[in-house]
Amino acid sequence: DGARRRGAPAGGSLSISHGLDQLPAHAMELCAKKHPPEEERRVKANAREYNEKFQYASNCIKTSKYNIITFLPINLFEQFQEVANTYFLFLLILQLIPQISSLSWFTTIVPLVLVLTITAVKDATDDYFRHKSDNQVNSRQSQVLINGILQQEQWMHVRVGDIIKLENNQFVAADLLLLSSSEPHGLCYIETAELDGETNMKVRQAIPVTSELSDTSKLAHFDGEVICEPPNNKLDKFSGTLYWKESKHPLSNQNMLLRGCVLRNTEWCFGLVIFAGPDTKLMQNSGRTKFKRTSIDRLMNTLVLWIFGFLVCMGVILAIGNSIWEYEVGACFQIYLPWDEAVDSAFFSGFLSFWSYIIILNTVVPISLYVSVEVIRLGHSYFINWDKKMYCAKRCTPAEARTTTLNEELGQVEYIFSDKTGTLTQNIMIFNKCSIDGKSYGDVYDLEGHRVEVTESTPKVDFSYNPLRDSKFSFYDVNLVESVRRDDPPTHKFFRLLALCHTVMPEEKKEGTLVYQAQSPDEGALVTAARNFGFVFRARTPETITVVEMGETVVYKLLAILDFDNVRKRMSVIVQSPKGELTLYCKGADTIVYNLLHPSCGPLKEKTTEHLEEFAGEGLRTLVVAYKDLDEAYFEGWRRRHHEASTALVEREEKLAQLYEEIEADLMLLGATAIEDKLQDGVPQTIETLGKAQIKIWVLTGDKQETAVNIGYSCNMLSDAMDDIFFIQGHSSEEVREELRKARKKMKPDTFVEDEGSGSDTQIQQPGKSQILPEEQPNGEYGLVISGHSLAYALEGNLQLELVRTACLCKVVICCRVTPLQKAQVVELVKKYKKAVTLAIGDGANDVSMIRAAHIGIGISGQEGMQAVLSSDFAFAQFRYLQRLLLVHGRWSYIRMCKFLAYFFYKNFAFTMVHFWFGFFCGFSAQTVYDQYFITLYNIVYTSLPVLAMGVFDQDVPEHRSLEYPKLYEPGQLNLLFNKREFFICIAQGIYTSVFMFFIPYGVFSDNSHLADYQSFAVTVATSLVIVVSVQIGLDTGFWTAINHFFIWGSLAIYFAILFAMHSDGLFQLFPNQFRFVGNAQNTLAQPAVWLTIALTTVICIIPVVAFRFLKLDLKPELSDTVRYTQLVRKKQKTQHRCMGRVGRVGSRRSGYAFSHQEGFGELIMSGKNMRLSSLALSSFSGRPSTSWIETLRKKKSTGGDSSAASSPSGGGPDRTLKV
C-alpha cells in the first residue's frame, strides 16, 4: 500500500521606579504619538497653554508592548521573525497540500503550537507585570499647583510647566527645577538609589532668586521661563538658564530633582516640571541594550544551515530516485495504482516527492531544540541565583544572573579585564600617611630610629583631647599630632584645606555626633582625618562652611566650587575667611596639579614627589593639595566673567573650563595625602586560581603606576618569579612602538618578523586575510605595565597590532591612568584581534563602558553605587566569587550545553535517517516508517525530558574538584567539547545508529512470515529507537539524580503506555478512522523474535560507543576522567581507613606502624593503581605522554597560520606539561 505515491493515501517587568536595568527598548514610548527631536526646550511656569504648543510629552509612561487586541497579531509577528518558526510554518503549509504530504498536518502543528504557546504565555506574563507596573506608577498621586490651589493629580496628568509640591520620602514625579524648600537657603536632600544605586544622600539647592517662593500665593504668580538643553540621558549634567524679572540665572544639575529620586530629611519642596514621562533622564537611560550572543549560538545557527543543506541534498537524492523508479518500474503499476490527475510525468512525480521528503525529514532540525536550549539556560541562571556560596551576608547580596543567554560562555573565558578600586580592593578608604611641607608623616619608628611595621599591637595616637573626634579613626604617628598642637602654619593650612575643599554633607543627629555623607570614600576619609586632627567640618549652607579649628568655630564664606570631573581630575573651592582673606584651595591628581604650581615650588615639589613615589609603592592612593591667595579686585572680575560663562547657552562648559584654568594657575604646594584601600578577601587566591586556568588578567585602573604595580604584587598577579616585567612609558608613537617591539622580541624572538618599510608585521597584515591573530606562546612568564599616555598612542590604528600581540604574550597586563573610554577601547581591541571570550568586571560608573563592550559583563555591588550592576550580565558582591562563577557554574554550563547539543543532534539523526533508508525499499514514495503519532510525540514527549535533565543537572566532577583542578577549565577555552568536528562525530553516530535501526529489523522481518506486516515493523523500529536513545543518554549522563532516573525510565514507561493505548480497543471504538491497527503492538511485542531483534539492535548500536569510551579512558584519559578516578581511589582509601580503625580497636597493643600505614596498600601497590594515582593527582600527572592532549591542541592552535613557528627547531625548550 505504501510502495508509491498514487491516488490513495499511504495509510520583571520592572517598575519604572526601581532602576534602569530591565526596561525594554520601547520604554520611551509615550501614551501619544512621538515628536521630532528638540534643539532646545522652553518652559514657562504656570502656563499650560503656552507649553502645550510645543507638544511636549506628558508624564504618562508606557513600558508594555501589547494590549488585549494587539497581543495575538504582534506576538505572532515577533515570533515568526525567528527563522526556525518561519521554517516550520512553511512545512505546515506544505503538509496541507494533499499531493505532496504523506503526513498528517498535526505532526508539525502540535510541536509548533506548543512552542508558540509557551513563548506567548511567557511574553504575556511579562507584559502583564509591565502593565501592572505602568498603572501603579502612572496612578501615583502628586500635588500640583493649578490656578493658585494645590490639587491632587495622578502622575500621568502632570504636564511640563506645572509646579509640584513634594513632601518628605516621596518619589519625584518628573524632572524638576527646584524652586524652594523647607530648609534654609533652598536646600533639599535626595536619595538617588533608583537612578545610580548610590544610597548616600545628596544635596540639591534652589537658586537664591526662587528660594524665597515658599507659599502657594507667591508661586502662583511665578512666571519665569526656562531655556535649557533638550531631553538627554546624562544623569550628572544639566545646562539651562532661568529668565525672570528681566534677569537671567544659570541652572545646573545641582538645581535639578530627577524622576526616580526620593526626597529625604526635607519636610517639603516645590519644583517646576522641565521634562516629563519619556523625556525624563530616567526614561532616556532605559534604551535598548546591546544583545550579546554566545559562540555556541553562532555555531548552532551555522550548523542548522548545514543541516538544512543536508536535508535538501537528501530530498534531491530521493526525488531523483523517485523519478527513476516511476520511469523504470512504476509503469507496470499504472493499471491499479494510477498517478494523481496533476501528475503527468515521472519528473513531476519526483518534484512532488522532493517536497514530501522535505516534510518527512524535517525532524533533523527539530523545533524543540531552541525551546530546550532556553529552558536549560534558565535552569543554569537559577543555580547561580540560588548559590549560597556566592551570597554576601555582610551586604545581604546574592549573586544574580541578569541574563539567561550567556551562561555557557562563562566556561570559555580567556581574558578578564578588571577595575582595581572597589573591584580588587574594598573601596573603604583609610587616611594612612601624608606629606606636609616636605615632611612625611605616618610611619612608626623604634627607639633606634628604625621604621617598624604597624600591627594591631602598635599604640594608636590619642585623640581624646578632641571632643568631636571620630572614635573609629586610627593613626599611629604622634609627630603629626605634635605638629598640629604646636600651631605649625603649613600643618594647619593642610588640614584646613582638607576640611574646606570637598562636597561632603554633614549630619549631626545629636550634639557632637557627626555623620558625613560623601559622594566618594576618598573625600570621606580626608574630611574625617581633618576632623580628628582638630579641623572639624561641622556644617554647610549654600554660602558658608563652618569649621571648628582647634576648638574655635570659624565660618568661611563659600564663594565658588570648581567641581571635579574626569577631565580636570581635581577640585577647588574659593572661600573667604572672617578676616576677609580670599583663598583658593585645590586637591587633585599629581600629574594635573603639578602643572599648575608656581615655579617657586620646585624644591618642595621634588621632596613631595619622593614621598608620593614611596606612598604609591606601598599601594596607597595619593592626592596633591595646594592653595593660592587671591586678590579681591581680581576675584571680583573673575566672578563676573564666571557668571557670564555659567549663563551662556553656547559652549558653556568650554568657557567655564578656561576660567577654571586661569584662576587655578600658580598654586602653592602644601603636600600630599595617602589613603589606604585594602584588598578584598580572597582576591590573591582567586587571581592565582584563575591564572592556573590559563585565564589572562588585565587590570585597567585610573591610579598611579606605582600604586597599581604594588596592588599587582599584593594580588599575586605580578611576582618576582616572572622572567621580566615590561614598563611601557613612551611619550610618542615611535617610543611606544619601540618599547612594545623590544618587549615582544624578548618574549618570542623566534617569531619576530619586522617589516622595516611599513613598520608592521607582514605575517599579520596581509590583504584579504582574517584579522584574528593566531595564538602565540612566550618563552617564559611575563608581565606588562603601560601608562595612560602611552596607551593613548598604542590604541591608535597603526600601533594596535603591536599592542595586542605584545600584551597577549604576557600573563598579566596592567594599564594605569586610563579613562573610562580607554577601558572600553582595550576590550574592543582584544575582541577584534583575538578569537577569545572576554569578561569585564567593575563596580563603578567609570566601568560601565568596559562592561558593555566585553562578551560578558560583571558588576560588583560595592561602595560606588549600582551603575555597573545595572549594565552587567551577572552581578555579585565580592571579586572572589568570580572563580566560582567561572570554574564551577560557567564550566558546568558549557559542559551541559555541549553534551545536550551533541545528544540532541544524535537522537534526531538516528530518528530521521531511518526514513531515508526506507525510501530505497518503498519506491521512494515518501512513505514513513513510523506511525504519525510517534513522529509527533518523539521530540516533545518520549525524548525531551531526559535530555533536559542532563542539560540542567549533569556534572563531570564535583564543584570542589573544579576549584581544586583549575586545568579542568581549559577544554572550554579551546572549545573542545562541541565544535564542527564533534558535530560531525555525533551526526556520524546518528547515521550509524539509523542504519542498524532499519536494516536489522528489515532483515528479520524479510525472513519471518509471522512478522511481515508494515505496522509490526514500525512498532519494532520505534521501540528499538526509544530504547537505544534512552540507553545512550544513560551512558552520556555523568551525574545521576532522582530526576534523571524519573525522566529516563518515566519516558520509556510513557512510550509503552501510549503505544499500547493507541492500539487498544477503546481508542479504536472512539476514533475508528484514526486508530485502525487494533492489538498490533500487543501482538508484535509478544513475539520473542521482536525482543531479540530489539536487543540485537541495541547492542550493535551501543557496543561501539562503550568500546570507544573504554579505550579512550584507558589510553588517552581526559583530565576530568583522571579527577574522577582519583576521587574513587580516595573514597576507597577512606573506607579502608575506617575498617582499619575498627580492627585496630580490637587488640590492646598499640603499634606505631599501624598509625603510619593503612590496610590494603599492599594490594594497591601490586595492582599499580597507586602509581597511577600519584601521576593523576599530583602535578607530575603529565608524565604519561597520553595526557598532554590539551597542551598539544594549544600548540596546534598557536602554530596554526604561523609558518615561522612551524619551521622553527624543536630545541627551543621542552613541552609545557599539564599541571593540575
Side-chain angles (χ1 to χ4, degrees):
D1 186 40
R4 352 189 273 145
R5 178 187 293 102
R6 299 297 179 185
S13 98
L14 184 66
S15 170
I16 294 306
S17 65
H18 290 81
L20 312 175
D21 51 334
Q22 295 291 330
L23 289 175
H26 51 273
M28 288 176 281
E29 291 182 10
L30 180 58
C31 295
K33 63 181 181 179
K34 293 183 179 180
H35 306 293
E38 306 171 33
E39 294 184 2
E40 65 175 24
R41 171 157 294 206
R42 291 176 172 268
V43 179
K44 195 169 185 178
N46 295 312
R48 278 196 172 186
E49 292 183 3
Y50 173 82
N51 296 321
E52 282 175 359
K53 72 180 181 182
F54 298 107
Q55 296 184 323
Y56 294 140
S58 73
N59 208 36
C60 171
I61 58 102
K62 177 185 176 184
T63 63
S64 57
K65 295 169 69 174
Y66 318 107
N67 57 40
I68 295 176
I69 298 173
T70 62
F71 173 75
L72 195 59
I74 293 178
N75 187 261
L76 287 176
F77 175 78
E78 288 176 345
Q79 290 202 57
F80 283 116
Q81 300 295 305
E82 293 285 341
V83 177
N85 290 344
T86 306
Y87 166 69
F88 283 99
L89 179 64
F90 172 69
L91 290 178
L92 177 61
I93 294 171
L94 289 180
Q95 283 183 268
L96 297 177
I97 303 173
Q99 286 79 8
I100 63 173
S101 178
S102 55
L103 280 177
S104 297
W105 52 270
F106 64 78
T107 59
T108 297
I109 200 171
V110 169
L112 181 60
V113 168
L114 182 65
V115 169
L116 294 176
T117 302
I118 291 173
T119 307
V121 169
K122 173 182 171 294
D123 292 343
T125 304
D126 290 344
D127 208 57
Y128 166 75
F129 287 110
R130 291 194 196 105
H131 272 287
K132 192 174 179 180
S133 172
D134 289 347
N135 292 335
Q136 178 186 358
V137 172
N138 288 329
S139 300
R140 285 178 178 171
Q141 297 293 313
S142 187
Q143 298 181 66
V144 182
L145 186 65
I146 301 176
N147 298 325
I149 302 172
L150 283 174
Q151 300 181 14
Q152 290 288 340
E153 289 278 359
Q154 291 183 336
W155 277 22
M156 68 173 72
H157 297 140
V158 172
R159 296 289 181 268
V160 171
D162 288 351
I163 293 177
I164 294 178
K165 181 180 181 181
L166 293 175
E167 295 180 346
N168 194 32
N169 297 326
Q170 276 190 346
F171 277 100
V172 180
D175 288 357
L176 310 177
L177 169 65
L178 179 62
L179 298 177
S180 60
S181 75
S182 58
E183 300 298 302
H185 309 286
L187 288 175
C188 77
Y189 302 92
I190 57 171
E191 183 182 286
T192 60
E194 306 299 342
L195 280 174
D196 54 21
E198 295 182 8
T199 54
N200 56 306
M201 282 191 294
K202 297 180 176 63
V203 65
R204 294 292 183 264
Q205 177 190 357
I207 58 175
V209 73
T210 64
S211 61
E212 304 301 324
L213 303 176
S214 56
D215 59 71
T216 55
S217 59
K218 292 180 180 178
L219 287 165
H221 293 92
F222 176 64
D223 59 353
E225 183 176 11
V226 173
I227 300 178
C228 65
E229 60 189 19
N232 60 72
N233 61 359
K234 297 176 182 176
L235 293 172
D236 57 346
K237 289 186 178 180
F238 177 80
S239 178
T241 305
L242 171 65
Y243 292 85
W244 190 42
K245 293 182 178 179
E246 298 183 354
S247 61
K248 58 182 182 179
H249 311 275
L251 304 175
S252 70
N253 199 52
Q254 290 298 310
N255 311 122
M256 296 295 294
L257 305 180
L258 302 184
R259 180 178 180 133
C261 299
V262 182
L263 193 67
R264 300 290 192 200
N265 295 353
T266 308
E267 188 178 342
W268 53 262
C269 72
F270 285 95
L272 172 67
V273 178
I274 304 296
F275 302 119
D279 291 342
T280 58
K281 291 183 183 287
L282 173 69
M283 299 301 293
Q284 290 284 314
N285 274 281
S286 309
R288 187 183 301 275
T289 55
K290 184 179 179 182
F291 182 70
K292 299 179 179 180
R293 300 184 69 88
T294 67
S295 56
I296 285 186
D297 277 333
R298 294 187 290 271
L299 176 62
M300 199 162 64
N301 290 339
T302 302
L303 297 182
V304 167
L305 290 175
W306 286 4
I307 292 173
F308 181 73
F310 181 67
L311 170 63
V312 171
C313 291
M314 288 193 296
V316 170
I317 291 170
L318 294 170
I320 293 172
N322 178 267
S323 296
I324 296 172
W325 194 91
E326 290 286 357
Y327 183 79
E328 297 288 342
V329 183
C332 304
F333 299 90
Q334 289 287 338
I335 298 173
Y336 59 91
L337 282 178
W339 284 338
D340 288 343
E341 292 181 4
V343 180
D344 55 3
S345 67
F347 173 80
F348 191 66
S349 175
F351 173 76
L352 295 179
S353 178
F354 169 79
W355 294 108
S356 298
Y357 273 111
I358 292 294
I359 294 171
I360 291 171
L361 301 174
N362 78 82
T363 47
V364 289
V365 190
I367 190 172
S368 56
L369 172 64
Y370 294 94
V371 176
S372 301
V373 165
E374 292 306 316
V375 170
I376 290 172
R377 284 173 171 167
L378 184 64
H380 296 169
S381 298
Y382 278 119
F383 289 154
I384 293 172
N385 295 343
W386 294 338
D387 191 343
K388 292 182 179 179
K389 294 182 180 178
M390 294 173 67
Y391 174 78
C392 181
K394 187 186 294 184
R395 297 179 186 169
C396 299
T397 305
E400 180 186 7
R402 296 168 50 80
T403 178
T404 60
T405 59
L406 301 175
N407 296 321
E408 65 270 15
E409 199 140 78
L410 288 170
Q412 298 179 276
V413 173
E414 288 189 57
Y415 290 88
I416 292 176
F417 300 90
S418 175
D419 177 41
K420 183 186 76 68
T421 305
T423 304
L424 301 178
T425 60
Q426 297 179 17
N427 204 15
I428 299 174
M429 307 301 178
I430 301 169
F431 183 83
N432 192 287
K433 296 181 180 181
C434 64
S435 172
I436 303 175
D437 198 29
K439 187 174 181 180
S440 176
Y441 297 95
D443 290 322
V444 180
Y445 297 88
D446 59 18
L447 296 175
E448 298 177 357
H450 299 121
R451 190 165 67 176
V452 297
E453 187 177 349
V454 175
T455 63
E456 291 183 2
S457 60
T458 305
K460 301 177 182 179
V461 171
D462 183 12
F463 291 108
S464 58
Y465 67 89
N466 182 357
L468 295 175
R469 68 188 180 280
D470 184 346
S471 58
K472 297 178 183 177
F473 180 81
S474 298
F475 199 76
Y476 301 92
D477 187 356
V478 295
N479 293 323
L480 186 55
V481 177
E482 292 174 358
S483 179
V484 172
R485 284 184 164 181
R486 65 171 178 260
D487 297 334
D488 180 55
T491 307
H492 277 216
K493 190 163 286 190
F494 178 87
F495 284 112
R496 186 177 294 117
L497 182 149
L498 298 186
L500 292 170
C501 186
H502 56 78
T503 57
V504 174
M505 294 301 302
E507 280 187 86
E508 193 164 2
K509 297 181 179 178
K510 59 181 181 179
E511 183 68 25
T513 305
L514 280 170
V515 177
Y516 291 143
Q517 297 284 347
Q519 294 194 38
S520 75
D522 299 70
E523 279 203 327
L526 294 176
V527 175
T528 301
R531 168 184 175 180
N532 277 267
F533 283 101
F535 288 76
V536 184
F537 168 55
R538 192 71 180 266
R540 174 193 292 279
T541 72
E543 297 172 349
T544 63
I545 296 177
T546 302
V547 179
V548 179
E549 297 183 358
M550 305 302 291
E552 181 183 344
T553 301
V554 182
V555 179
Y556 291 89
K557 283 182 85 173
L558 178 61
L559 303 177
I561 295 179
L562 285 58
D563 212 350
F564 175 91
D565 62 38
N566 284 328
V567 178
R568 282 170 42 77
K569 293 186 178 179
R570 65 188 184 275
M571 81 159 290
S572 301
V573 295
I574 301 174
V575 297
Q576 186 175 33
S577 69
K579 298 178 182 179
E581 298 169 344
L582 288 174
T583 310
L584 180 146
Y585 292 107
C586 177
K587 67 180 181 187
D590 57 316
T591 53
I592 301 296
V593 177
Y594 274 0
N595 295 328
L596 304 173
L597 294 180
H598 192 275
S600 64
C601 297
L604 179 57
K605 177 180 172 183
E606 291 179 7
K607 194 66 177 173
T608 305
T609 301
E610 290 179 14
H611 295 157
L612 283 173
E613 290 175 353
E614 181 184 334
F615 298 157
E618 297 174 19
L620 304 179
R621 295 165 61 89
T622 59
L623 283 176
V624 171
V625 295
Y627 74 98
K628 178 181 180 181
D629 293 323
L630 299 177
D631 177 70
E632 187 171 352
Y634 166 77
F635 175 71
E636 287 301 325
W638 182 89
R639 192 176 193 179
R640 185 173 58 257
R641 287 181 289 135
H642 179 266
H643 177 76
E644 293 172 357
S646 62
T647 56
L649 297 178
V650 181
E651 297 182 347
R652 176 185 295 183
E653 293 182 3
E654 290 80 359
K655 293 176 181 178
L656 288 173
Q658 290 177 1
L659 286 169
Y660 292 168
E661 289 275 354
E662 175 191 322
I663 200 168
E664 287 174 331
D666 295 331
L667 299 175
M668 301 301 295
L669 181 61
L670 265 176
T673 64
I675 296 174
E676 181 182 10
D677 186 8
K678 292 185 178 180
L679 285 178
Q680 292 184 15
D681 294 338
V683 167
Q685 296 84 349
T686 299
I687 288 176
E688 185 178 0
T689 303
L690 295 175
K692 291 178 181 177
Q694 296 298 319
I695 297 174
K696 295 181 179 179
I697 300 176
W698 294 27
V699 175
L700 312 177
T701 178
D703 272 346
K704 288 172 64 70
Q705 177 177 297
E706 295 82 0
T707 304
V709 169
N710 186 273
I711 293 293
Y713 278 102
S714 303
C715 293
N716 289 343
M717 287 186 290
L718 301 175
S719 69
D720 294 329
M722 284 183 164
D723 294 84
D724 202 351
I725 299 173
F726 304 106
F727 291 86
I728 310 299
Q729 298 174 315
H731 289 271
S732 68
S733 296
E734 284 305 315
E735 288 180 15
V736 172
R737 184 196 303 277
E738 288 305 314
E739 290 177 0
L740 288 171
R741 283 173 172 266
K742 184 178 178 182
R744 182 155 57 91
K745 192 168 187 177
K746 182 172 182 179
M747 289 187 284
K748 196 169 177 63
D750 53 335
T751 59
F752 189 84
V753 180
E754 184 176 352
D755 183 357
E756 295 181 359
S758 64
S760 61
D761 287 69
T762 55
Q763 68 184 63
I764 300 299
Q765 291 188 345
Q766 292 182 6
K769 295 226 174 176
S770 171
Q771 286 187 315
I772 300 299
L773 298 177
E775 287 294 326
E776 296 178 302
Q777 295 296 329
N779 56 17
E781 202 171 80
Y782 298 92
L784 181 74
V785 180
I786 182 168
S787 61
H789 55 82
S790 299
L791 183 64
Y793 292 114
L795 289 173
E796 294 175 358
N798 59 338
L799 280 181
Q800 286 185 358
L801 281 171
E802 292 288 350
L803 173 63
V804 76
R805 288 197 69 189
T806 304
C808 290
L809 284 170
C810 299
K811 181 182 178 182
V812 172
V813 177
I814 298 177
C815 301
C816 314
R817 298 292 198 191
V818 294
T819 65
L821 178 60
Q822 285 178 328
K823 290 184 179 184
Q825 288 175 333
V826 170
V827 176
E828 292 288 359
L829 185 66
V830 175
K831 285 175 63 179
K832 178 180 179 182
Y833 289 110
K834 305 298 287 186
K835 192 176 181 181
V837 176
T838 59
L839 180 149
I841 179 169
D843 73 318
N846 60 334
D847 303 316
V848 168
S849 55
M850 173 178 73
I851 286 171
R852 288 178 173 170
H855 291 102
I856 302 168
I858 295 182
I860 289 185
S861 49
Q863 302 291 324
E864 294 190 27
M866 299 288 285
Q867 301 98 317
V869 170
L870 298 179
S871 302
S872 67
D873 306 304
F874 300 89
F876 43 71
Q878 295 279 316
F879 181 86
R880 60 191 169 96
Y881 298 144
L882 182 60
Q883 65 174 328
R884 184 169 179 83
L885 182 70
L886 298 185
L887 302 187
V888 177
H889 291 286
R891 187 175 159 277
W892 278 352
S893 294
Y894 173 72
I895 291 172
R896 290 164 178 167
M897 186 60 70
C898 291
K899 293 178 75 171
F900 163 79
L901 290 173
Y903 176 80
F904 208 97
F905 287 123
Y906 154 76
K907 76 179 180 69
N908 280 289
F909 266 79
F911 165 65
T912 306
M913 288 301 293
V914 172
H915 295 303
F916 181 79
W917 310 125
F918 186 53
F920 291 89
F921 297 88
C922 68
F924 305 96
S925 62
Q927 173 63 42
T928 60
V929 177
Y930 313 110
D931 178 84
Q932 56 189 2
Y933 295 102
F934 179 81
I935 294 173
T936 305
L937 299 176
Y938 176 75
N939 270 316
I940 63 175
V941 176
Y942 300 149
T943 62
S944 61
L945 294 180
V947 71
L948 278 178
M950 182 181 72
V952 172
F953 299 108
D954 202 51
Q955 301 174 16
D956 58 342
V957 297
E959 59 183 67
H960 62 281
R961 298 296 179 205
S962 294
L963 297 172
E964 186 179 348
Y965 300 98
K967 281 279 186 180
L968 288 166
Y969 190 77
E970 287 192 48
Q973 296 171 321
L974 298 171
N975 201 22
L976 297 180
L977 301 187
F978 189 77
N979 47 42
K980 293 170 184 176
R981 176 177 174 273
E982 293 297 321
F983 168 73
F984 285 119
I985 289 174
C986 69
I987 293 308
Q989 184 189 352
I991 294 173
Y992 166 85
T993 301
S994 71
V995 169
F996 289 98
M997 195 78 64
F998 173 77
F999 285 103
I1000 291 177
Y1002 184 81
V1004 171
F1005 275 62
S1006 298
D1007 297 333
N1008 194 327
S1009 58
H1010 298 291
L1011 297 170
D1013 64 288
Y1014 160 76
Q1015 192 64 23
S1016 296
F1017 176 74
V1019 169
T1020 304
V1021 174
T1023 305
S1024 299
L1025 175 65
V1026 172
I1027 292 175
V1028 167
V1029 298
S1030 297
V1031 172
Q1032 180 65 47
I1033 200 169
L1035 292 174
D1036 288 346
T1037 300
F1039 182 73
W1040 286 85
T1041 66
I1043 296 175
N1044 293 85
H1045 282 289
F1046 178 75
F1047 282 173
I1048 291 176
W1049 313 127
S1051 295
L1052 278 171
I1054 288 173
Y1055 164 72
F1056 284 109
I1058 293 176
L1059 178 68
F1060 290 133
M1062 286 195 302
H1063 294 85
S1064 64
D1065 295 338
L1067 277 181
F1068 171 73
Q1069 292 174 1
L1070 291 173
F1071 308 102
N1073 293 328
Q1074 294 293 326
F1075 302 97
R1076 299 187 292 271
F1077 302 100
V1078 181
N1080 179 270
Q1082 293 84 337
N1083 293 337
T1084 302
L1085 296 178
Q1087 303 289 332
V1090 170
W1091 284 108
L1092 287 172
T1093 302
I1094 293 171
L1096 179 63
T1097 305
T1098 303
V1099 169
I1100 291 178
C1101 291
I1102 296 299
I1103 282 295
V1105 178
V1106 175
F1108 173 78
R1109 294 187 182 182
F1110 176 80
L1111 291 172
K1112 185 181 178 186
L1113 188 64
D1114 191 62
L1115 300 176
K1116 197 177 181 181
E1118 297 180 0
L1119 182 53
S1120 57
D1121 302 324
T1122 301
V1123 173
R1124 282 198 299 272
Y1125 177 77
T1126 305
Q1127 191 175 3
L1128 288 174
V1129 175
R1130 286 176 177 173
K1131 194 177 293 184
K1132 181 180 179 181
Q1133 290 173 353
K1134 288 180 181 178
T1135 305
Q1136 293 170 345
H1137 182 64
R1138 285 195 294 269
C1139 293
M1140 183 62 199
R1142 289 194 293 270
V1143 172
R1145 284 192 294 270
V1146 175
S1148 60
R1149 296 183 65 182
R1150 296 172 181 260
S1151 168
Y1153 183 88
F1155 285 99
S1156 60
H1157 290 74
Q1158 294 178 358
E1159 181 183 343
F1161 259 91
E1163 179 188 350
L1164 194 62
I1165 291 171
M1166 293 299 292
S1167 68
K1169 289 181 179 178
N1170 73 313
M1171 310 296 181
R1172 195 173 192 179
L1173 171 62
S1174 64
S1175 66
L1176 302 176
L1178 304 176
S1179 61
S1180 58
F1181 144 79
S1182 56
R1184 298 180 65 191
S1186 61
T1187 55
S1188 59
W1189 59 282
I1190 289 183
E1191 292 300 331
T1192 304
L1193 277 165
R1194 276 198 179 276
K1195 206 169 296 177
K1196 287 181 180 178
K1197 184 179 178 184
S1198 67
T1199 56
D1202 190 345
S1203 58
S1204 60
S1207 62
S1208 64
S1210 59
D1215 291 345
R1216 294 175 64 191
T1217 57
L1218 179 65
K1219 295 182 180 179
V1220 293

